[in-house]
Amino acid sequence: MLHYIKPYRHYAVLTIVFMVSEVLIDLYQPRLMEAIVNEGVLGLHHGGVPDLSLVMQTGLWMALIVAVGGVCGVMGGICVNFCAQNFGNDIRKDCFRRILQLSMEQIDAFRTGSLITRITSDTTQVQTMVSAALRGVVRSLTFLIAGTAALLTLDIHFSLIAALAVPVILIEVVIVVHKSNPLFLLVQQKIDALNGVMQEDIQGARVIKGYGQEARENERFSVANDNLAAAQLRVLLLIACLLPLVNIVMNTALVAVIYIGSFDVQSAMIGPGTVMAALTYVVLILNGILMFAMILQIFARGLTSKRRLEEVLETKPAIRDGEDGETDGAVSRGRPAAIALHHVSFRYPGQQEDVLTDISLTVARGETLAIVGATGSGKSTLLALLPRFYDATAGEVFVDGRDVRTYALHALRGKMAIVLQKTELFSMTIGENIAWGMDAASDEEIRRAAKIAQAADFIERQPEGYGTEVTEGGTSLSGGQRQRIALARALIRKPEILLLDDSTSALDLRTESAFYAALDGYTRELRREGHDLTKIIVAQRIATARHADRIAVLDGGRLLACGTHEELLERSSIYREICASQFRTGASGKEKANG
């Protein structure tokens, strides 16, 4: 991930310069304090006469360099935050961009809760690691190296004490980091699980309330939260053990400095100010080591998050642009069928059985095909293969005479508009939701699409009309209203192929009939302008399907029959059973269905 820092390398370099300057200034102050005590107060080299002018001058000089050090610290903080925040911002954007490129099966494999954790918590951990590397590591290493050098200028004994204390602290740090490292991955996995429960329960709040299962979901959340707390506690207990151990070594080193320094002072080898300076240097060095230990904890967690982010960033989309993806997708001569499936089979990843088996079907340009069948017969799956939400396991899918795998995804999906049974709306105005699938749409186009979708009347009754805000998930609207907005969103794109996946299931029969009548009028209008609109409609109601040019009957993932309503009544027992179940007929079902 170092390439994410490259655009901000100048700020990274400035951070290092400012941090080193701040630390060197901090390390210079004990020498000034040594001069104040030894010469200004005790006057060791002036016959024991204090030198107050030296105290004043040195004190003013200390104040000045403290101010300079403060400025360096502030500037270093600004630079490191600018670098780290932009670094995290770029990773977050790239992760989100990659998530949108992943196929549905890959998103399912990662799980939504985990992806949310990675793009939020994991990115923050990596961002914190970068900030610690640029600021904390530089500070701690400079304290260690420059502080040790400063100690050597005072007395070799003091340096020996530091040399003995540092390895002990490092051993303690390595042991704690080694034991805590695998726990950080566990913590992030527990956060994944907690986010997953939260997402499901917030999205399913109405179902939870409707079934009175608040206590059950509270318990499920409590279990996930307790698991997270337990994992975090194990990490925190290890870290909590580190500080007392380091403090023991640090205080032992300070006692040793005072003890050895007292002999040197008695023998007049050094002054009391020198011992004070040595104490300060030892504290700074060992605090630097402690700081480095804390940074190693951050690194351990950050590296775990880095690997989790790389899993997303390095995952190649399973559904990618075809080799001929950059071509314009011009239709070959002879006006081939708008859609053709040749011996198509499909099974979902990880499943043992095919959902679709050996489907061969053509849909002519401008034709309307309805697909009917029992629940689980593969109707929605068949539609999902056309825009390449999934690729067929076997066989070929053609659009305008070209295998869908040869298209650029943007070009292929630009030909289509799909409306799903489960309607997804966004937290924006009704007008913006309708125009969402267009780069730019006029108010007139929005109103026209809403009128065809039978949405105009209820929209205009809203408090602010098309400017009315939609709540998250569209919960402020009824199911039928959401479906009509989704239908308008599809129509405003002026697609060549319209895919309706049981997208009028929440509409009453009168509204549904009015919509299909308006859609037929819109289709005829397009045909007069020289454009054909091909429609594939997954329908549960025979009343919806019977007006299509042809009806395909699926059962158990197989195409059993395809023809007009009348033809299927003659030769498809499955279709007759569906009609009978809906029109409450027995042997006379044919007449009533026809009637």
Side-chain angles (χ1 to χ4, degrees):
M1 288 187 175
L2 290 177
H3 63 280
Y4 285 102
I5 298 180
K6 190 174 181 180
Y8 314 105
R9 59 188 180 277
H10 302 302
Y11 292 96
V13 171
L14 285 174
T15 298
I16 294 172
V17 171
F18 284 126
M19 288 299 99
V20 170
S21 300
E22 182 187 17
V23 172
L24 292 178
I25 288 172
D26 287 342
L27 290 172
Y28 184 53
Q29 291 181 57
R31 298 307 301 263
L32 296 177
M33 181 59 67
E34 177 190 13
I36 288 176
V37 173
N38 287 344
E39 305 302 330
V41 177
L42 300 178
L44 295 180
H45 294 88
H46 300 89
V49 179
D51 188 347
L52 296 181
S53 62
L54 176 64
V55 174
M56 291 293 295
Q57 292 174 3
T58 307
L60 290 173
W61 179 240
M62 286 183 67
L64 177 62
I65 65 170
V66 165
V68 173
V71 170
C72 289
V74 170
M75 294 303 298
I78 291 173
C79 291
V80 73
N81 283 316
F82 188 91
C83 182
Q85 290 295 327
N86 282 284
F87 168 85
N89 183 39
D90 290 346
I91 289 180
R92 200 174 288 114
K93 287 178 179 176
D94 278 1
C95 273
F96 187 73
R97 190 179 297 114
R98 178 50 54 88
I99 289 170
L100 292 182
Q101 292 172 347
L102 297 179
S103 67
M104 302 307 299
E105 62 187 87
Q106 290 173 308
I107 291 176
D108 292 341
F110 274 111
R111 300 181 66 87
T112 305
S114 178
L115 289 174
I116 292 173
T117 303
R118 292 171 197 244
I119 207 169
T120 52
S121 176
D122 283 318
T123 303
T124 300
Q125 295 299 333
V126 174
Q127 182 177 303
T128 302
M129 180 178 69
V130 170
S131 178
L134 289 176
R135 192 171 187 178
V137 171
V138 170
R139 283 177 62 87
S140 59
L141 291 181
T142 306
F143 271 129
L144 175 61
I145 297 169
T148 302
L151 267 180
L152 286 171
T153 64
L154 295 179
D155 192 308
I156 190 66
H157 300 117
F158 300 144
S159 299
L160 289 174
I161 294 170
L164 292 172
V166 167
V168 176
I169 293 177
L170 287 177
I171 291 171
E172 295 173 348
V173 169
V174 168
I175 292 173
V176 171
V177 170
H178 176 71
K179 289 185 173 295
S180 63
N181 191 34
L183 295 178
F184 290 122
L185 176 59
L186 180 63
V187 167
Q188 294 306 107
Q189 290 172 342
K190 298 303 181 183
I191 294 174
D192 288 349
L194 186 68
N195 281 341
V197 173
M198 289 177 59
Q199 182 198 16
E200 289 177 352
D201 285 356
I202 291 172
Q203 289 181 344
R206 294 192 177 195
V207 176
I208 294 170
K209 293 178 184 297
Y211 281 82
Q213 293 300 312
E214 290 90 346
R216 179 195 293 269
E217 292 308 307
N218 275 327
E219 178 62 25
R220 195 159 73 103
F221 179 84
S222 295
V223 170
N225 197 41
D226 289 344
N227 290 338
L228 173 60
Q232 289 178 325
L233 182 60
R234 290 173 63 185
V235 175
L236 293 175
L237 287 176
L238 280 172
I239 296 174
C241 292
L242 178 62
L243 185 59
L245 293 174
V246 172
N247 280 335
I248 291 172
V249 177
M250 184 183 300
N251 289 324
T252 302
L254 293 178
V255 170
V257 168
I258 294 172
Y259 181 75
I260 293 174
S262 65
F263 289 106
D264 290 343
V265 170
Q266 288 178 356
S267 62
M269 293 176 59
I270 59 174
T274 306
V275 177
M276 292 177 60
L279 289 171
T280 304
Y281 282 135
V282 170
V283 169
L284 289 175
I285 291 169
L286 298 183
N287 275 332
I289 297 298
L290 182 59
M291 183 192 307
F292 189 69
M294 295 298 104
I295 291 169
L296 287 180
Q297 304 277 345
I298 294 173
F299 264 70
R301 188 163 189 173
L303 290 173
T304 298
S305 294
K306 172 180 172 290
R307 288 191 291 270
R308 284 163 52 86
L309 287 171
E310 287 175 339
E311 287 178 5
V312 176
L313 292 169
E314 294 176 2
T315 297
K316 301 298 181 184
I319 307 295
R320 306 177 69 179
D321 289 339
E323 294 180 0
D324 301 328
E326 297 303 319
T327 63
D328 60 6
V331 180
S332 59
R333 290 179 296 176
R335 289 177 63 81
I339 296 170
L341 286 75
H342 293 171
H343 303 288
V344 168
S345 297
F346 176 77
R347 73 176 58 176
Y348 286 101
Q351 300 298 313
Q352 301 298 320
E353 297 181 0
D354 287 345
V355 179
L356 297 174
T357 305
D358 197 26
I359 302 288
S360 293
L361 180 67
T362 60
V363 184
R365 189 178 307 281
E367 184 181 13
T368 299
L369 176 74
I371 304 176
V372 299
T375 301
S377 58
K379 304 184 297 295
S380 297
T381 301
L382 191 151
L383 248 62
L385 299 181
L386 301 180
R388 290 190 72 198
F389 292 163
Y390 299 91
D391 274 337
T393 307
E396 298 170 308
V397 179
F398 292 89
V399 171
D400 286 343
R402 286 179 53 190
D403 191 319
V404 292
R405 293 182 177 91
T406 68
Y407 276 95
L409 291 173
H410 182 75
L412 174 66
R413 293 167 183 171
K415 290 176 173 288
M416 306 177 186
I418 186 167
V419 184
L420 304 174
Q421 182 179 10
K422 182 182 178 184
T423 305
E424 300 288 350
L425 297 183
F426 301 94
S427 301
M428 54 183 69
T429 67
I430 291 175
E432 289 170 338
N433 266 287
I434 293 174
W436 180 81
M438 291 275 287
D439 291 333
S442 65
D443 291 342
E444 181 182 350
E445 289 174 317
I446 293 172
R447 285 179 166 78
R448 186 185 182 204
K451 185 175 181 180
I452 297 171
Q454 308 303 300
D457 289 344
F458 89 80
I459 293 175
E460 290 168 1
R461 291 196 300 269
Q462 296 295 311
E464 298 181 37
Y466 289 86
T468 302
E469 291 286 337
V470 177
T471 58
E472 183 179 359
T475 55
S476 57
L477 302 171
S478 70
Q481 290 172 335
R482 292 197 297 271
Q483 279 194 337
R484 282 178 277 174
I485 291 175
L487 289 166
R489 181 170 63 194
L491 292 170
I492 201 172
R493 285 170 58 88
K494 299 178 181 178
E496 298 176 28
I497 300 171
L498 180 62
L499 307 175
L500 303 181
D501 185 6
D502 202 16
S503 53
T504 58
S505 59
L507 305 184
D508 61 85
L509 292 174
R510 182 178 177 181
T511 303
E512 182 185 40
S513 178
F515 164 69
Y516 281 113
L519 182 60
D520 288 342
Y522 175 63
T523 302
R524 289 191 295 271
E525 181 182 333
L526 289 177
R527 187 172 291 124
R528 287 193 296 270
E529 296 173 358
H531 303 290
D532 291 317
L533 176 60
T534 305
K535 300 186 287 293
I536 299 182
I537 303 169
V538 169
Q540 297 290 349
R541 300 169 180 166
I542 296 299
T544 301
R546 62 182 298 182
H547 298 295
D549 297 317
R550 286 188 302 151
I551 303 171
V553 182
L554 293 183
D555 187 60
R558 295 181 180 275
L559 178 63
L560 298 186
C562 187
T564 64
H565 173 69
E566 291 75 16
E567 291 171 346
L568 293 176
L569 284 173
E570 291 289 345
R571 55 188 173 87
S572 174
S573 60
I574 294 289
Y575 188 74
R576 285 197 299 271
E577 290 174 8
I578 295 173
C579 289
S581 67
Q582 294 192 19
F583 289 97
R584 298 181 181 277
T585 65
S588 60
K590 178 179 175 179
E591 286 116 10
K592 291 192 178 181
N594 278 322

